[in-house]
């Protein structure tokens, strides 16, 4: 262990956790967004269970407001590795009345994902769901254990988490409860990019510099889309940008950047003074926006 590089140590830890989940739980799944963190999870799962195929499905909660490039990448990845894909559609939750479309000047479906996620978990009886959250992303994320217990309502209680001593993980649960499991909790954004570069993992084109129509709103740059209504004084303009994080187009900011290679992205991240979620409008709705969503069952 002491001879392993930093990335190899992180990889070994994540693979160990994934194998623990498959050993302890009956019906796990991997939550897949098409973003860099969940892409790393897929690569880790391939390594953990090679030469067999990944022994659990990929689950994508589709808001219907995704970047088209992320959806294209998702479908190409699933076809390439032969994984099973389950898609939970937010629109289905809206149609049956369990979710209500937001109103107002900046409506987003990002929060509605929680409802669709919990419905999908219930429908397929998943008892453990891998997620790509990392502790360096946001202060609420920093409170997570590797094994994050959720009650029968899918809710998270940050004050009721189980100790994780050495490499022992407690997956005991009551009927109806489940766990979210975060194998790359100890990784940083830089670790993720260096791992992608080292493993030569393909990623969606939106992570690289490209020209795009944007709307400047609340000191953020949002990619223009049919899901955005222009406010007073707002206008569409073209800029050279890229994504640092991928989510619902209505709340995921892009950054001005000329980074067109992985090496350039790594260099850019090394000098960044704003976290990757600093460009997420859904995190700016309140001081505890992420924690509030997580208590309700968010990723």
């Amino acid at each position: 262990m002491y001879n392993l590089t930093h990335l190899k140590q992180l990889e070994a830890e994540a693979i160990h956790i994934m194998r623990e989940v498959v050993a302890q739980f009956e019906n796990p799944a991997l939550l897949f967004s098409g973003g860099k963190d969940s892409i790393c999870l897929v690569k880790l799962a391939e390594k953990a269970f090679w030469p067999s195929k990944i022994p659990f499905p990929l689950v994508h909660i589709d808001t219907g407001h995704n970047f088209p490039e992320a959806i294209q990448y998702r479908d190409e990845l699933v076809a390439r590795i032969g994984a099973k894909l389950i898609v939970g559609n937010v629109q289905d939750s809206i149609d049956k009345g369990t979710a209500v479309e937001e109103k107002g000047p900046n409506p987003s479906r990002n929060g509605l994902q929680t409802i669709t996620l919990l419905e999908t978990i219930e429908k397929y009886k998943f008892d453990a769901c891998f997620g790509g959250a990392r502790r360096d992303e946001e202060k609420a994320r920093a409170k997570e254990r590797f094994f994050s217990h959720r009650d029968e309502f899918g809710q998270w209680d940050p004050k009721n988490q189980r100790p994780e001593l050495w490499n022992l993980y407690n997956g005991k649960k009551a009927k109806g409860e489940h766990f979210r499991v975060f194998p790359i909790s100890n990784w940083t954004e830089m670790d993720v990019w260096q791992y992608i570069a080292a493993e030569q993992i393909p990623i969606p084109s939106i992570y690289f510099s490209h020209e795009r129509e944007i709307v400047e709103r609340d000191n953020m740059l949002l990619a223009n889309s049919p899901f955005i209504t222009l406010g007073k004084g707002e206008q569409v303009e073209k800029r050279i940008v890229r994504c640092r994080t991928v989510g619902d187009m209505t709340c995921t900011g892009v950054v001005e950047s000329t980074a067109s290679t992985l090496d350039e992205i790594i260099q850019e991240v090394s000098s960044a003074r704003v976290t990757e979620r600093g460009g997420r409008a859904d995190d700016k709705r309140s001081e505890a926006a992420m924690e509030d969503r997580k208590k309700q069952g968010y990723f």
Side-chain angles (χ1 to χ4, degrees):
M1 180 60 134
Y2 297 105
N3 293 323
L4 295 179
T5 66
H6 174 63
L7 286 180
K8 285 298 183 182
Q9 289 182 39
L10 291 173
E11 179 189 71
E13 179 181 62
I15 286 175
H16 170 70
I17 290 166
M18 285 188 156
R19 289 171 175 168
E20 276 292 304
V21 168
V22 170
Q24 290 193 43
F25 295 91
E26 295 180 2
N27 192 24
L30 190 153
L31 303 179
F32 185 79
S33 67
K36 64 184 184 307
D37 301 310
S38 58
I39 290 170
C40 280
L41 285 186
V42 172
K43 182 64 174 181
L44 291 163
E46 286 187 289
K47 286 195 170 191
F49 304 105
W50 180 264
S52 298
K53 290 185 177 180
I54 297 175
F56 38 75
L58 308 188
V59 175
H60 181 218
I61 304 303
D62 187 350
T63 65
H65 294 174
N66 297 286
F67 284 88
E69 297 93 330
I71 298 299
Q72 179 183 349
Y73 178 92
R74 178 199 71 185
D75 294 340
E76 291 173 351
L77 173 68
V78 167
R80 175 165 52 84
I81 68 175
K84 179 181 179 180
L85 174 67
I86 294 172
V87 179
N89 290 291
V90 169
Q91 186 62 53
D92 291 342
S93 299
I94 294 171
D95 291 344
K96 66 184 180 182
T98 54
V100 179
E101 195 89 71
E102 283 189 0
K103 308 296 183 184
N106 298 305
S108 173
R109 288 186 173 183
N110 194 60
L112 303 186
Q113 292 181 89
T114 298
I115 297 168
T116 307
L117 171 62
L118 294 177
E119 289 175 345
T120 303
I121 290 172
E122 174 63 25
K123 178 179 178 180
Y124 291 95
K125 306 299 180 187
F126 295 128
D127 53 2
C129 294
F130 292 108
R134 308 186 324 270
R135 294 190 181 112
D136 77 319
E137 285 183 272
E138 202 272 345
K139 57 189 177 183
R141 298 286 202 204
K143 298 179 182 180
E144 287 279 21
R145 300 283 205 269
F146 286 110
F147 276 37
S148 181
H149 175 264
R150 305 299 169 106
D151 65 19
E152 64 271 27
F153 301 106
Q155 297 174 329
W156 173 68
D157 181 0
K159 296 180 180 179
N160 185 29
Q161 297 212 53
R162 300 170 182 183
E164 293 181 342
L165 306 175
W166 304 287
N167 290 324
L168 302 176
Y169 305 105
N170 183 354
K172 186 176 181 180
K173 61 179 183 58
K175 184 177 181 180
E177 298 176 344
H178 73 276
F179 278 79
R180 307 286 171 82
V181 182
F182 304 109
I184 62 172
S185 287
N186 285 337
W187 297 39
T188 65
E189 182 185 11
M190 178 64 80
D191 294 329
V192 169
W193 282 118
Q194 289 180 336
Y195 189 74
I196 288 171
E199 296 292 326
Q200 300 182 323
I201 304 173
I203 56 175
S205 60
I206 50 177
Y207 278 115
F208 297 108
S209 174
H210 60 284
E211 185 179 65
R212 196 176 203 101
E213 289 188 344
I214 63 94
V215 177
E216 188 167 354
R217 175 179 294 170
D218 298 331
N219 297 317
M220 290 175 49
L221 303 181
L222 295 176
N224 186 36
S225 73
F227 319 119
I228 292 178
T229 301
L230 294 182
K232 185 178 180 180
E234 292 182 339
Q235 59 184 3
V236 176
E237 55 184 300
K238 289 187 176 180
R239 296 203 195 170
I240 304 299
V241 299
R242 73 175 190 87
C243 289
R244 281 183 73 186
T245 178
V246 173
D248 193 306
M249 291 187 75
T250 60
C251 62
T252 303
V254 296
V255 296
E256 290 191 278
S257 171
T258 58
S260 58
T261 67
L262 287 174
D263 286 343
E264 289 174 349
I265 289 175
I266 290 170
Q267 179 63 37
E268 185 177 274
V269 170
S270 70
S271 60
R273 291 298 175 264
V274 177
T275 67
E276 62 197 287
R277 292 197 70 94
R280 291 291 293 262
D282 49 330
D283 288 353
K284 299 178 184 294
R285 293 191 171 190
S286 74
E287 285 293 323
M290 172 65 82
E291 183 159 334
D292 290 341
R293 294 200 307 275
K294 284 175 61 61
K295 287 179 179 178
Q296 295 167 2
Y298 190 70
F299 296 85

